[in-house]
Amino acid sequence: MGEVKAQRKVSLTGSLAFNDIKVEAPVTVAAGALGVKEALRHGFKEMGVIRAMGTLLKMNQVDGFECPSCAWPDPEKSSKFAEYCENGAKALADEATTSKIDASFFAKNSIEDLSQLTDYELNKFGRLTEPLLLEPGSLHYQPISWEKAYQLVAEELAAMEDPNEAIFYTSGRSSNEAAFLYGMFARALGTNNMPDCSNMCHESSGVALGETLGIGKGSIKLEDLYEAEVVIVAGQNPGTNHPRMLSALEKCKANGGKIISINPLEESGLVNFKNPQHVEGWIGKPIDIADLHLPVRINQDIPLMKAIIKKLAALDQLDATVFDHDFINQYTDGYETLLADIENFDLEDLIQQTGVNEKLIDVAVSFLAKKSKIVVCWAMGLTQHKNGVETIREFINLLLLKGAIGKPNAGTCPVRGHSNVQGDRSVGIMHFIDEGLNQRIQEHLGFTAPDQPGYDVVKAMKAMHDGKAKVFMCLGGNFLMAASDTVYTAKAIEACSLTVQVSTKLNRSHLVTGKTALILPTYGRSEKDVKDGKERFITVENSMGRVRQSKGVLKPTSGNLQSEPDIIAGIADAYFKGNHAVDWLALGTDYDLMRGTMDKVVKGFKNTNEQSKGVGYYLPNNVRNLDFSMLPNGKAQITLNKLPEHHLKSDEFMLMTIRSHDQFNTTIYGLDDRYRGVYNERRVVFMNADDMKEKGLTKLDVVNLRSNYDDTPRIAFNFKVLPYAIPKGDIAAYYPETNVLVPYNHFADRSYTPISKSVVVTVEKVK
């Protein structure tokens, strides 16, 4: 089938040619009529008017399907008109597009030719409609039957010398049912090699929260935000990444709450917001969401929090009501040690390190001093640093000192990026050992789960690169472009004997493959899942721990798609040939049966078939009950955290990777970022104007970005420089284009999360 080569030559970037870039003043008002217009424009273009409108009205409704984009929770009483945001509408349009590709498309287009296109162009081809096989040495995918595809995977797994030669990666798009079955199959095979997308984003949150509060999840519910007295939004850009969060912050503001933004960039969504669900959001004045913005230097959040805590401690010495001493004495451990430690830091040095004006810090202190209903929200801006775990622990220190844990309108809120990434972990997608889970697997599924830790993302990359892993299966996602160190990751994937992608649309991970590759197309969240005449539903868990049903409403793109549970069950049955304690086909077919099994095996799940109806039900959360019995001395842990250490040379900058407004994770919807004033281009780098002047750079000059860790140079080519309000010495650019600069072997301590938000680079002008 087509040309055969011994070695495929595929591009990891696609074209580096520039588009006709247009730069304007940033649009400072989030959402509003323009947001609605953009949402509908994408929907109409991809789906058609009638199909788009009818489907949007079913998204995030109790009788419809959950948004395939972020994991922001739905309110108890959803808007019947529009319980979605611009990016959710884009995600739906992208998934439910009427564009399709099949085997004839791949017969005409080799993977080498396709790889010359950008990620944006690849995504625009449309939905995958049939299972496809890329044979060793071939440059063209060809059709394969589902039965033969399952048998091929089973044979490759059976040929392994050790179960740990297989790696099972999970994307946050998967359902609880699919993730549960996937995790159980991996364990039945004999491995805990289950890296997932949370390893690359919120793993630092899980570690920090587990160490301090005893659960790797946030503690608040959506309604807690409404009457919070202070909400800190740190290292997060809700206007682009979680737009529906702005509605909750709007309610907080209406009730007198104060919003503090902590971020190197002042993002538009926190400056002005128009809620399109209200008439005022169309014709009224925009609302100023953030009362205070602290433009902290990249990865200097710990000295900022230490400065705030030090100032609050001084006030508490004068008035012992600033800290909640009753709460501290009853529920925490480490207070006196923290007070002694904070004396070791010079206040002026801390403030200088942050780059924030002390007067602004004093305003933050004034907001916090007499308040106890405090919520801290955060995302990748805190997690993706070498000290990501310590950074989050420092914010938790503030909450513990203020007694802002385990009560209404107060607590922790890590804002998850993908719709069911938290649910994946809840149902068993993890590389570490949970002895209780293993015991329940033995009791209710009848097999012994492996008791040795498996690979997370970083270790999986290295294992593949070193030839220790041979079969790499991805349940959704675009692993190549999501992971750090793109060149290294590509070499790792190409070293595998088989790669398997369960996907809805074409992406670069389908072009950079193992020797043999399979694409197994599956349903989108918005599509009906019907088997043997019975319509099935799935469940997902939002970022605040509520499990809820999701049922698609659209006719599937193709009659040759399989659901994720059916695919997993088909592979498992082909591998075990019916000779296993688990009836894989029965579970994959009957989701009710599977949920009944989940209730027995997964901690916290109970009567899910019924309880997940309507608004759903919350999983147990020990912090909400002030139960810290699993921690040392049975108390929440106040911790000591070191300051970050960055010793930049005179020609070096600190790079943070960011999203544009026209993307979700690695999926590129368009080439505009109107909140930052950039149109029709992604290869840009945002830079302080004074830094540009010192480097002899002018607007739209072309530069290369270079990192050099462990004497290994990494280069991202062809970026246009744009002056922007960012702290001196810091720069920002979009991922995945800049992932090539992030070293695979530099990551957060204990969580192994890549340092994507604090990469030391040089900026070199292209002559």
Side-chain angles (χ1 to χ4, degrees):
M1 184 74 178
E3 184 181 1
V4 176
K5 291 187 177 181
Q7 185 174 0
R8 304 165 183 142
K9 296 181 180 179
V10 293
S11 170
L12 304 184
T13 62
S15 173
L16 296 181
F18 290 113
N19 299 304
D20 185 15
I21 187 173
K22 181 180 179 182
V23 181
E24 298 180 352
V27 173
T28 58
V29 178
L34 181 57
V36 174
K37 177 183 175 182
E38 285 297 305
L40 295 180
R41 182 176 69 83
H42 277 262
F44 295 168
K45 180 180 179 181
E46 297 292 338
M47 303 169 64
V49 176
I50 295 176
R51 176 179 163 96
M53 292 304 298
T55 312
L56 282 168
L57 291 174
K58 286 293 186 179
M59 190 156 70
N60 296 325
Q61 302 296 332
V62 295
D63 59 344
F65 61 96
E66 289 296 283
C67 177
S69 188
C70 81
W72 190 253
D74 304 321
E76 292 276 355
K77 296 181 180 179
S78 298
S79 166
K80 295 297 182 183
F81 171 67
E83 193 54 63
Y84 57 86
C85 66
E86 177 185 344
N87 264 23
K90 288 177 180 177
L92 173 62
D94 189 76
E95 170 187 285
T97 178
T98 55
S99 300
K100 307 176 185 180
I101 53 177
D102 57 15
S104 63
F105 170 87
F106 290 98
K108 297 174 185 175
N109 297 280
S110 73
I111 60 171
E112 288 185 346
D113 290 340
L114 289 170
S115 75
Q116 299 303 315
L117 303 176
T118 65
D119 294 279
Y120 169 64
E121 291 169 323
L122 290 174
N123 182 61
K124 284 301 176 185
F125 284 119
R127 288 288 298 277
L128 297 157
T129 56
E130 59 183 312
L132 299 160
L133 167 67
L134 183 68
E135 294 184 305
S138 176
L139 298 180
H140 292 263
Y141 278 99
Q142 56 187 308
I144 184 174
S145 70
W146 282 104
E147 182 180 2
K148 289 183 178 179
Y150 295 156
Q151 190 61 39
L152 174 60
V153 179
E155 290 173 357
E156 288 284 347
L157 293 173
M160 298 185 308
E161 296 180 3
D162 185 325
N164 289 311
E165 292 177 2
I167 296 173
F168 297 89
Y169 172 79
T170 314
S171 157
R173 191 192 67 82
S174 302
S175 65
N176 288 329
E177 289 75 12
F180 173 75
L181 199 62
Y182 193 59
M184 294 307 113
F185 173 56
R187 291 179 175 88
L189 187 71
T191 185
N192 283 309
N193 290 345
M194 287 176 278
D196 75 308
C197 58
S198 67
N199 298 154
M200 295 182 276
C201 54
H202 266 294
E203 197 68 53
S204 294
S205 300
V207 173
L209 290 165
E211 290 176 350
T212 57
L213 301 177
I215 186 173
K217 301 180 181 183
S219 66
I220 73 163
K221 300 178 180 178
L222 176 61
E223 291 73 23
D224 287 323
L225 285 168
Y226 300 164
E227 295 186 20
E229 295 172 316
V230 181
V231 176
I232 297 175
V233 181
Q236 184 196 357
N237 177 14
T240 286
N241 300 333
H242 314 94
R244 287 195 298 151
M245 179 180 175
L246 298 177
S247 298
L249 296 180
E250 179 189 28
K251 292 180 180 180
C252 177
K253 291 275 292 184
N255 290 324
K258 298 291 187 181
I259 313 296
I260 301 173
S261 166
I262 301 175
N263 202 315
L265 301 174
E266 186 174 35
E267 303 288 11
S268 293
L270 291 174
V271 178
N272 287 302
F273 171 60
K274 283 190 173 185
N275 190 338
Q277 293 183 354
H278 302 156
V279 174
E280 294 84 354
W282 291 77
I283 61 175
K285 294 182 179 180
I287 296 171
D288 296 329
I289 293 293
D291 297 276
L292 176 66
H293 174 62
L294 303 179
V296 66
R297 288 176 180 151
I298 292 175
N299 194 217
Q300 298 302 330
D301 303 272
I302 288 180
L304 176 61
M305 292 312 301
K306 286 189 182 297
I308 289 174
I309 290 172
K310 192 174 181 73
K311 284 176 174 283
L312 288 172
L315 292 176
D316 190 68
Q317 290 182 344
L318 301 175
D319 178 357
T321 63
V322 173
F323 291 159
D324 188 336
H325 292 277
D326 289 341
F327 180 91
I328 291 169
N329 292 334
Q330 185 173 356
Y331 295 108
T332 74
D333 204 5
Y335 172 65
E336 296 297 338
T337 305
L338 177 71
L339 284 188
D341 182 68
I342 203 73
E343 291 299 317
N344 296 325
F345 296 93
D346 180 79
L347 182 60
E348 290 186 8
D349 289 343
L350 291 173
I351 294 171
Q352 183 179 15
Q353 194 164 337
T354 69
V356 179
N357 188 297
E358 185 174 5
K359 291 182 179 179
L360 295 179
I361 296 175
D362 287 338
V363 175
V365 171
S366 70
F367 287 172
L368 294 164
K370 292 296 183 180
K371 306 299 183 184
S372 62
K373 295 180 179 180
I374 303 167
V375 174
V376 177
C377 305
W378 70 89
M380 306 303 93
L382 296 192
T383 66
Q384 292 181 327
H385 304 284
K386 179 172 176 54
N387 61 344
V389 173
E390 283 70 25
T391 299
I392 295 162
R393 297 198 320 179
E394 198 67 32
F395 280 88
I396 294 170
N397 280 347
L398 173 67
L399 293 175
L400 292 174
L401 293 171
K402 297 294 296 180
I405 287 288
K407 66 182 182 184
N409 315 119
T412 57
C413 181
V415 185
R416 307 285 176 172
H418 216 157
S419 59
N420 196 43
V421 63
Q422 187 161 296
D424 288 350
R425 179 60 55 84
S426 293
V427 300
I429 297 298
M430 62 187 76
H431 57 279
F432 48 85
I433 305 301
D434 182 329
E435 292 183 359
L437 175 64
N438 283 2
Q439 291 172 3
R440 294 189 295 274
I441 289 172
Q442 180 72 62
E443 179 181 356
H444 299 291
L445 293 180
F447 70 88
T448 301
D451 58 3
Q452 296 298 313
Y455 299 139
D456 61 5
V457 165
V458 169
K459 293 177 181 178
M461 290 162 57
K462 190 174 190 307
M464 290 188 288
H465 192 276
D466 294 348
K468 295 180 180 179
K470 299 178 180 178
V471 178
F472 182 47
M473 182 170 175
C474 293
L475 189 64
N478 182 2
F479 185 84
L480 173 67
M481 304 316 292
S484 60
D485 214 334
T486 311
V487 175
Y488 182 93
T489 302
K491 291 178 179 178
I493 293 171
E494 289 173 333
C496 292
S497 59
L498 174 68
T499 51
V500 183
Q501 305 284 337
V502 180
S503 307
T504 57
K505 299 188 74 178
L506 181 65
N507 63 52
R508 200 165 299 275
S509 292
H510 301 126
L511 311 178
V512 179
T513 72
K515 296 174 181 63
T516 301
L518 284 170
I519 299 176
L520 305 181
T522 190
Y523 297 129
R525 185 76 60 81
S526 58
E527 291 175 312
K528 292 181 179 179
D529 182 350
V530 180
K531 185 70 175 283
D532 298 331
K534 180 181 179 181
E535 190 170 346
R536 304 179 290 188
F537 68 86
I538 60 170
T539 62
V540 296
E541 179 188 348
N542 67 35
S543 64
M544 294 179 184
R546 191 200 293 268
V547 176
R548 179 172 166 174
Q549 289 186 11
S550 177
K551 183 183 291 187
V553 297
L554 296 174
K555 180 181 177 181
T557 296
S558 164
N560 203 12
L561 303 180
Q562 294 274 10
S563 75
E564 288 181 329
D566 280 327
I567 292 171
I568 298 160
I571 293 172
D573 185 67
Y575 177 79
F576 287 111
K577 301 177 181 178
N579 185 26
H580 194 261
V582 176
D583 188 338
W584 300 99
L585 289 180
L587 289 179
T589 299
D590 188 344
Y591 294 1
D592 288 349
L593 174 64
M594 179 150 48
R595 281 185 288 270
T597 305
M598 286 165 52
D599 289 343
K600 298 174 183 177
V601 175
V602 179
K603 185 178 180 180
F605 279 66
K606 185 177 181 181
N607 193 21
T608 303
N609 278 321
E610 292 300 319
Q611 284 205 99
S612 62
K613 293 179 180 178
V615 298
Y617 73 101
Y618 281 105
L619 296 176
N621 189 303
N622 63 282
V623 180
R624 292 172 187 162
N625 299 321
L626 290 173
D627 173 16
F628 305 113
S629 57
M630 70 294 298
L631 293 168
N633 299 321
K635 294 188 175 184
Q637 300 296 296
I638 295 174
T639 56
L640 303 185
N641 303 295
K642 297 179 180 179
L643 296 178
E645 293 186 11
H646 299 296
H647 304 290
L648 272 64
K649 299 176 183 177
S650 59
D651 64 338
E652 292 179 332
F653 294 87
M654 188 67 76
L655 166 72
M656 60 185 289
T657 65
I658 58 175
R659 289 186 195 172
S660 79
H661 191 63
D662 253 1
Q663 76 178 96
F664 177 70
N665 293 343
T666 59
T667 303
I668 313 300
Y669 302 135
L671 300 179
D672 297 343
D673 191 356
R674 69 176 188 270
Y675 288 172
R676 298 188 181 105
V678 182
Y679 298 85
N680 202 38
E681 187 55 73
R682 290 183 52 81
R683 302 194 74 84
V684 298
V685 55
F686 299 98
M687 196 170 186
N688 183 284
D690 290 337
D691 285 332
M692 289 177 59
K693 185 176 180 180
E694 291 176 8
K695 290 283 295 182
L697 297 171
T698 58
K699 183 178 177 180
L700 299 182
D701 275 350
V702 180
V703 300
N704 296 332
L705 306 177
R706 181 190 295 265
S707 68
N708 193 338
Y709 287 82
D710 308 313
D711 295 322
T712 302
R714 298 170 174 87
I715 306 176
F717 294 97
N718 282 23
F719 288 77
K720 291 194 173 184
V721 181
L722 294 178
Y724 206 77
I726 186 170
K728 200 170 185 305
D730 293 345
I731 61 174
Y734 303 129
Y735 74 85
E737 290 84 351
T738 49
N739 284 359
V740 66
L741 299 168
V742 185
Y744 80 95
N745 57 344
H746 288 255
F747 36 74
D749 295 333
R750 301 194 302 289
S751 75
Y752 288 80
T753 301
I755 59 167
S756 302
K757 290 291 187 288
S758 53
V759 184
V760 178
V761 301
T762 55
V763 178
E764 303 166 355
K765 186 174 181 178
V766 176
K767 299 180 181 179

